Amino acid sequence: MDRKATDKRLQRVYGITFEERAEMENINNGGCHVCGWKPSLGQRALAVDHDHKPIRAKIKFEKVGRKVVTVYTEPKYVEPIIYPNGVKEKIARQDIRHALKRAAVRGLLCWRDNSLLRKALDNPEILESAARYLRKYKEKFGK
């Protein structure tokens, strides 16, 4: 996939640019933010990890006449967007969805860790419980 197509997809799906994804990659020296694994040429690239909850937030509008002056979410995942002169609801909805997508991005993960988080329902308690379970048997068998 070429850079222009990648940039377009990143914007549409996650609300970030190619450059912002590259910055995220540099944060962990090009590796997965959980395990540190770095893909080699020809291997599957790191996935953009994001929380699905903000994307499902309820969008609320405050209007004056037919124009939206404030758009916000419940629960509050992002700061409200204020339009002093008002805008059409369609524009406000697009703006808040874009803000929600950006707010939901957490980092870059390898496919294993991305799958792990998905299977644990993004629930840290499940992952902590799994870690305790593994430690218990590691101590028991010494491996």
Side-chain angles (χ1 to χ4, degrees):
M1 198 180 267
D2 69 359
R3 181 182 166 157
K4 189 174 180 182
T6 301
D7 193 45
K8 203 172 196 175
R9 182 178 176 280
L10 288 169
Q11 283 278 359
R12 181 177 44 82
V13 178
Y14 305 109
I16 62 172
T17 64
F18 186 86
E19 289 77 18
E20 288 169 319
R21 188 194 182 287
E23 285 175 29
M24 283 193 292
E25 217 169 284
N26 291 335
I27 289 170
N28 208 40
N29 296 319
C32 171
H33 287 205
V34 172
C35 70
W37 177 81
K38 294 179 185 180
S40 300
L41 191 62
Q43 290 182 315
R44 187 185 294 190
L46 297 174
V48 177
D49 175 46
H50 62 286
D51 187 348
H52 292 93
K53 288 182 208 96
I55 296 168
R56 293 189 209 113
K58 289 188 174 152
I59 299 172
K60 304 281 187 168
F61 302 97
E62 290 177 7
K63 295 183 175 184
V64 172
R66 296 179 72 185
K67 296 241 180 179
V68 174
V69 291
T70 307
V71 61
Y72 60 97
T73 64
E74 286 184 2
K76 183 182 174 185
Y77 287 111
V78 293
E79 290 299 316
I81 301 173
I82 300 167
Y83 304 95
N85 300 321
V87 295
K88 292 181 180 178
E89 186 175 314
K90 181 179 178 181
I91 301 292
R93 188 177 299 277
Q94 287 172 346
D95 289 348
I96 199 77
R97 281 191 177 149
H98 181 77
L100 286 168
K101 286 177 187 178
R102 290 180 64 82
V105 172
R106 296 185 286 212
L108 300 177
L109 301 181
C110 68
W111 67 271
R112 286 181 217 82
D113 292 330
N114 197 26
S115 178
L116 174 70
L117 293 184
R118 184 178 65 247
K119 289 177 181 175
L121 307 173
D122 286 336
N123 184 333
E125 287 81 23
I126 292 173
L127 295 169
E128 288 164 0
S129 177
R132 281 192 304 275
Y133 172 81
L134 290 173
R135 281 189 208 101
K136 176 181 163 184
Y137 285 96
K138 185 175 183 179
E139 290 169 9
K140 184 176 180 178
F141 297 111
K143 292 183 179 184

